[in-house]
Structure formats: C-alpha cells, structure tokens
C-alpha cells in the first residue's frame, strides 16, 4: 500500500478527498492530498530498508474547522502516521473557506 491510497481510505469516511486538486464542485468540507517527499531511510548493506513518504493534507471548511481537524488527527494517529505539523493557513474571503493543513508521513518497508 502507498501513502495516498492509505490516506484516501482513512479520510473518505470523514470528508470527500482528492489528490492534487478537487475536480468537482466542492462541498462545504473537503480535503486535497498533496504528495511532498519520498525518501529512503534506514540502510542495511548499502540498501534502503524503508521508504518514508510525506503528504500535506489541505482541508477546506466553510464553518468551524476544529471538529474536522480533531477527527483527522485522531484517524492519523490511530493509523500510526507521524504528524509533522498542523497549521491554519488562511480564511479565503473569495471562497468562504477556512484552509487548514496537516503534514504527515509514514514509513513503508521495501520488500
């Protein structure tokens, strides 16, 4: 499994989610996944043992973002993701959305 597949599976029950751009008319709450990095870690015999992938989850909400932020955070922790940062980006006056971002990562064994 890769990080985008796993995050989509985790987030779909909470809110609509797309990768890179939300293609359809957006609902009141939605998330966009942006891949950030894919690096190798923990070498043995000059070969990487793990791939470390990170993704920025940008979610947009027309109302209070606190409830969905807490649900996403709990889901990520429950799925053993590392949360690298959580931050409020801005209120987008032209769209009426609050924009919040959570950067997370996970180690995947190289087989």
């Amino acid at each position: 499994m890769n990080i985008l597949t796993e995050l989509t599976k985790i987030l779909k029950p909470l809110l609509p989610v797309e990768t890179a751009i939300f293609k359809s008319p957006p609902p009141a709450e939605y998330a966009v996944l942006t891949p950030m990095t894919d690096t190798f870690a923990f070498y043995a015999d000059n070969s990487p043992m793990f791939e470390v992938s990170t993704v920025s989850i940008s979610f947009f909400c027309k109302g209070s973002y606190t409830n969905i932020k807490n649900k996403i955070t709990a889901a990520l922790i429950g799925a053993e993701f590392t949360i690298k940062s959580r931050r409020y980006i801005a209120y987008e006056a032209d769209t009426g959305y609050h924009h919040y971002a959570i950067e997370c990562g996970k180690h995947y064994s190289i087989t």
Side-chain angles (χ1 to χ4, degrees), residues 3-108:
I3 194 166
L4 292 174
T5 302
E6 192 169 356
L7 283 172
T8 299
K9 182 179 176 182
I10 291 165
L11 296 176
K12 276 267 194 216
L14 303 176
L15 72 170
V17 62
E18 298 268 352
T19 300
I21 188 169
F22 204 85
K23 297 172 189 89
S24 59
E29 291 182 344
Y30 68 97
V32 175
L33 307 178
T34 305
M36 301 300 284
T37 62
D38 293 308
T39 58
F40 292 122
F42 308 111
Y43 286 79
D45 296 327
N46 295 324
S47 296
M49 303 301 295
F50 293 93
E51 178 179 37
V52 181
S53 298
T54 61
V55 167
S56 178
I57 304 167
S58 290
F59 67 88
F60 302 86
C61 181
K62 290 223 178 199
S64 173
Y65 61 88
T66 306
N67 187 38
I68 193 65
K69 174 191 75 170
N70 293 337
K71 287 180 181 180
I72 291 171
T73 299
L76 292 172
I77 291 170
E80 299 180 348
F81 277 81
T82 299
I83 297 175
K84 299 177 81 178
S85 68
R86 300 184 312 159
R87 63 189 180 280
Y88 184 81
I89 305 299
Y91 174 74
E92 299 175 353
D94 58 331
T95 63
Y97 286 99
H98 292 277
H99 180 182
Y100 197 92
I102 299 174
E103 188 175 335
C104 64
K106 196 161 191 182
H107 292 74
Y108 294 92

